[in-house]
Amino acid sequence: MGDRFFDLANLSVNHEFGLEEDHLLLAAYFGVERRADLAALRLMRFMSDFREAMWGVLQSGISELDFDFKGYAGKHFERLMRAASDPEFERYLSEL
């Protein structure tokens, strides 16, 4: 099985949830929100974008499909860089 925070983060980041929606997601999933849960979710959102960006880079080199894999990778790199530049990112790292 995968990490539940990674799965929740995929849902969150791919539906472009904000902090309020992430709080609601965690409360709905766990029944209560714990501080460390938000940090885990927000960090896994970063990792979800990293995985998708790397997949796009790989596919741009090996795929024969007519698809803009470089653009796909770029979208996810941009989003993960925004996440990493968020002032809360360092705090999330320290809370785990």
Side-chain angles (χ1 to χ4, degrees):
M1 290 188 99
D3 184 285
R4 60 185 162 185
F5 286 103
F6 190 76
D7 293 339
L8 292 168
N10 282 327
L11 173 69
S12 172
V13 75
N14 289 321
H15 288 87
E16 300 180 2
F17 287 4
L19 276 174
E20 183 177 337
E21 291 91 358
D22 280 348
H23 287 289
L24 293 170
L25 176 63
L26 291 169
Y29 186 83
F30 290 108
V32 64
E33 185 184 339
R34 299 166 298 202
R35 186 174 176 97
D37 292 346
L38 181 63
L41 177 69
R42 299 303 283 190
L43 291 171
M44 284 297 189
R45 285 171 50 105
F46 174 90
M47 292 310 301
S48 175
D49 274 327
F50 180 76
R51 179 195 63 180
E52 291 299 315
M54 292 292 91
W55 182 82
V57 168
L58 176 66
Q59 291 303 314
S60 70
I62 66 171
S63 180
E64 296 178 11
L65 295 175
D66 182 23
F67 183 79
D68 182 13
F69 288 109
K70 289 181 183 179
Y72 182 87
K75 169 189 164 185
H76 290 281
F77 277 127
E78 181 182 317
R79 204 162 61 181
L80 74 87
M81 292 302 291
R82 275 197 319 266
S85 66
D86 184 326
E88 295 296 306
F89 191 79
E90 289 291 325
R91 184 176 61 80
Y92 297 144
L93 288 170
S94 69
E95 288 183 2
L96 294 180

